Amino acid sequence: MSHQNYRNWGTFMEAELALLQDLGYNLDRRDFYGFSIYRNNLDSENDNPFFARENGRYVTGKPNTSPWGIGLHIYGSENKVTQTADLLADGFSGIGVRVDGSENTLTIDSDTKITANGEYGHGILFSYGKGQNLVLRGTVEASGDHGKAVAFDFGDNMLSNRTEYRGSYIRANIDEETNDWEKNELLPELEGELITGADITGAVTGSDAAVYIGPSAYVKNINIMKGASINGDIVSDWKPVTDQAIITHANPEMLMTTLIFGDAPDENGVHTGNADAAFDATVKGNISGRESVDMKVSGGKLAVTGNIKVHSLETAESTVLSLTMTDAAKTGAVVLADTIDIGGTLTYSFDPLLHGLDTGDVLTVLNAENSLTLTQTSEDFSLDSIFDYYTFNSVYDQNENTLRLKVSSVQSKSAGVQSSYGMTASVISAVGNKIM
C-alpha cells in the first residue's frame, strides 16, 4: 500500500491489515502475524507465538500454513528483542522473524524453535537498515523448496530495481537514456553494514542455504561458536568490488565479511573474541563467498562436507580443519581462495560418490590464486593412504600455490583392501616450520 518508489514488500504489513479491518474487512490478523513491533528503543521479551489458527485461537505446536505469514515483525529501530515463544510459519513464503528498521538486536532464546518450512520460506530475515545484530541460540529451520534459514537480504524492488535499488551503501537507479547505473544520495539507514554481528550457537537448517547473504547486503561479522549446528550451505552473493557501479563507498574492497569458526561465546551466546579449544562443529554443506568472505578457524575443530570458495582462508595453530574430497577435486579444488594460510592440522575424508580414479589422477585439495602458506612436518608432505582401493600421495607445488593428492596406485577388489568411505585418509600436522 506504499506510495514510495522503493518497496521490498510483496504483502501487507500488520498495520495495513488493521486498517483494512477498520474499513470493515473480515479477516483474522493473527493468522498472518504473530506480533509486530513498530516502536523504537524497547528492551523486551516477546512471548507471543505463531501457530495454526482454529476458532480464533492458536493451536500450540501446529504449524501455521497461511501464505506470507510472519511470526514476528520488527519495524522500529534500536530495539532489543528476545524471542521466547515458538514461531512456526510454514506457509508459502512464510517468515519466522522479519527485521527492518536499524540498529536492532534480535536474540532467539535457546529453547525457542522457528520454522519456515514452506516453499520460499525464510526462518529469520533481516531485510533493511543498518547496524543490526543477531544472537541465535535456538533452532531455525527452512527445509521446504528454496528455503533459507537465516537470510540477510534487502531483496528486490516490487516496482523494478531499475526504478530504485537499495542496499548497504547502495541507492541507485538505471538511467533510461544511457541504460547505466546512476548513484543517488544515500539515506542514513543505508550508510553502514546491514549486520554488525551474527552470533550463532544454535541449530540452523536450510534447503537452499543455512545462512544466506544477498547481493545488496553487507554483513560485517558472522561467528559460528560452540553448540552450533549448520545443516546446509553458507552462501554470500555480496560482491563489493564487482558491484562498485552501485556501491557508494570510498573503499569497497574493505567491505568483507569475516566468518569465524571457533571463538568462544559468553553465557548469553554473544561473541567474546577469544579462541575456544573445545569448539567442534560440522558444516553439512558448501561455504561460498568467493568475492567477500574471509574465513577463519580460530579454535577447536571444524569439518566441512562440501567445498569452500572464499576470498581468504586462515586456520590458527592447534586447530583442525577436516575437508571432504568431492567431485570438485577432479576439475577444480575443494578449497579455492585468493590466499590460504593453514596454521593448524589439515585432514581429509572422501565422499562415497567419488569413484572412477586411475593411476596418475590428481585431486586438488587447496588452490590459492595469490599465496598458499602451509605448516609441514616433513620435507615433501609425502603420505600414503588407501581409500576404496586407491593409494594416494600428496604433492605440494609451491610455485602454483596448490596442494594435491595424486593416485599412485589402484588395487583390485580381490586384493581384499577394505573401503574407507568417510574415514580420515591423511593428516598434515601443525608442528613444524612455515612454508612461504
Side-chain angles (χ1 to χ4, degrees), residues 70 77 153 207 279 311 317 383 411:
I70 298 177
S77 295
D153 189 6
S207 59
F279 175 78
H311 180 255
E317 187 177 355
L383 96 100
Q411 303 183 45

Side-chain angles (χ1 to χ4, degrees), residues 144-218:
D145 290 344
H146 311 292
K148 297 179 176 72
V150 178
F152 312 112
D153 189 6
F154 284 77
D156 295 310
N157 184 354
M158 285 184 61
L159 301 182
S160 170
N161 291 334
R162 296 176 65 91
T163 302
E164 185 168 352
Y165 187 55
R166 292 186 189 180
S168 302
Y169 298 105
I170 297 172
R171 190 182 182 210
N173 65 276
I174 291 291
D175 186 303
E176 295 300 333
E177 292 185 2
T178 64
N179 208 37
D180 294 327
W181 283 107
E182 183 177 62
K183 295 180 183 179
N184 299 313
E185 183 179 355
L186 290 177
L187 299 173
E189 65 267 25
L190 303 178
E191 293 186 272
E193 68 274 5
L194 173 62
I195 300 295
T196 301
D199 298 338
I200 300 176
T201 55
V204 182
T205 301
S207 59
D208 260 16
V211 178
Y212 176 71
I213 301 173
S216 55
Y218 172 37

Side-chain angles (χ1 to χ4, degrees), residues 291-336:
E291 296 191 34
S292 60
V293 173
D294 290 326
M295 175 178 165
K296 181 177 181 180
V297 183
S298 61
K301 301 176 181 179
L302 174 67
V304 181
T305 65
N307 306 310
I308 301 173
K309 295 182 179 180
V310 291
H311 180 255
S312 68
L313 170 64
E314 176 186 354
T315 71
E317 187 177 355
S318 301
T319 63
V320 178
L321 174 61
S322 299
L323 303 174
T324 303
M325 296 298 102
T326 64
D327 272 339
K330 295 180 181 180
T331 56
V334 175
V335 178
L336 175 64

Side-chain angles (χ1 to χ4, degrees), residues 41-88:
N41 298 299
L42 297 179
D43 189 344
S44 65
E45 175 184 312
N46 182 42
D47 58 2
N48 295 287
F50 190 61
F51 302 124
R53 297 281 284 181
E54 292 182 8
N55 301 317
R57 296 177 179 273
Y58 283 128
V59 181
T60 301
K62 184 176 181 180
N64 185 296
T65 57
S66 296
W68 300 288
I70 298 177
L72 170 65
H73 179 215
I74 302 175
Y75 193 74
S77 295
E78 299 182 24
N79 295 296
K80 295 180 180 179
V81 180
T82 300
Q83 180 65 34
T84 58
D86 292 346
L87 305 172
L88 310 184

Side-chain angles (χ1 to χ4, degrees), residues 236-308:
S236 176
D237 286 332
W238 171 248
K239 300 175 181 179
V241 177
T242 299
D243 292 339
Q244 289 188 50
I246 58 174
I247 294 176
T248 302
H249 192 279
N251 302 107
E253 69 278 359
M254 297 178 62
L255 304 179
M256 297 291 167
T257 298
T258 302
L259 173 63
I260 298 180
F261 295 88
D263 273 2
D266 66 12
E267 64 276 10
N268 297 313
V270 176
H271 177 245
T272 64
N274 302 317
D276 182 5
F279 175 78
D280 191 349
T282 299
V283 174
K284 296 180 180 178
N286 303 305
I287 300 175
S288 63
R290 186 68 184 85
E291 296 191 34
S292 60
V293 173
D294 290 326
M295 175 178 165
K296 181 177 181 180
V297 183
S298 61
K301 301 176 181 179
L302 174 67
V304 181
T305 65
N307 306 310
I308 301 173

